[in-house]
Amino acid sequence: MLLISCPNCGSRDETEFHYGGQAHVAYPENPNELNDREWAEFLFYRDNTKGAFAERWLHSTGCRQWFNMLRDTVTYEIQAIYPMGEPRPDAAAPARESGTASLAPDSTTTGTAAPSTAATSIAASTSRASTTAPEGATK
């Protein structure tokens, strides 16, 4: 689970926030002059960057304010949080505020642990031609 530092409220759990898409997407100067393809590209086509990516976030259950976040899409590391309208900071620069991702083995966001299948033998149980229920099963 991510711990996101809201610029107005401080650190909060990610469940208080809503993702708002890619940051720094300029609105067309003359939207009425766009053809259907250009308008669709503005509305729906976004970068799918692997690595540092600028995103918009809304603190929906807190201050209800929008802000930008520079986050690594591979590691979930939050590199910077900055106000709307401010330019994207350099990814190599130290972050003013940062959040953290849980490193617990059972984490759904960053952990690598998965249920172990080493103790079970699926092949051994399927090779038996038994029609009875496994021990402990209810009927």
Side-chain angles (χ1 to χ4, degrees):
M1 181 127 342
L2 292 175
L3 182 63
I4 299 175
S5 294
C6 173
N8 303 308
C9 305
S11 295
R12 300 289 195 267
D13 186 70
E14 73 177 297
T15 58
E16 292 190 17
F17 299 88
H18 279 97
Y19 177 75
Q22 182 177 350
H24 310 293
V25 176
Y27 192 80
E29 287 185 31
N30 298 312
N32 292 331
E33 294 177 4
L34 298 179
N35 62 35
D36 288 342
R37 179 170 178 80
E38 292 168 333
W39 186 246
E41 286 177 3
F42 166 72
L43 290 176
F44 304 113
Y45 287 52
R46 295 291 179 256
D47 295 337
N48 189 13
T49 305
K50 185 176 183 179
F53 187 65
E55 306 168 332
R56 297 180 329 159
W57 285 82
L58 170 66
H59 191 181
S60 55
T61 63
C63 62
R64 296 183 163 267
Q65 297 297 308
W66 286 93
F67 60 92
N68 290 328
M69 177 189 304
L70 187 62
R71 182 178 65 88
D72 190 303
T73 58
V74 176
T75 64
Y76 290 91
E77 177 189 4
I78 298 171
Q79 299 170 347
I81 293 177
Y82 54 103
M84 297 293 283
E86 216 176 88
R88 175 185 165 156
D90 183 17
R96 285 192 317 204
E97 295 190 41
S98 63
T100 58
S102 172
L103 298 176
D106 61 347
S107 171
T108 58
T109 58
T110 60
T112 58
S116 174
T117 58
T120 60
S121 175
I122 296 173
S125 64
T126 56
S127 65
R128 285 186 263 158
S130 174
T131 57
T132 59
E135 182 179 333
T138 58
K139 293 184 180 182

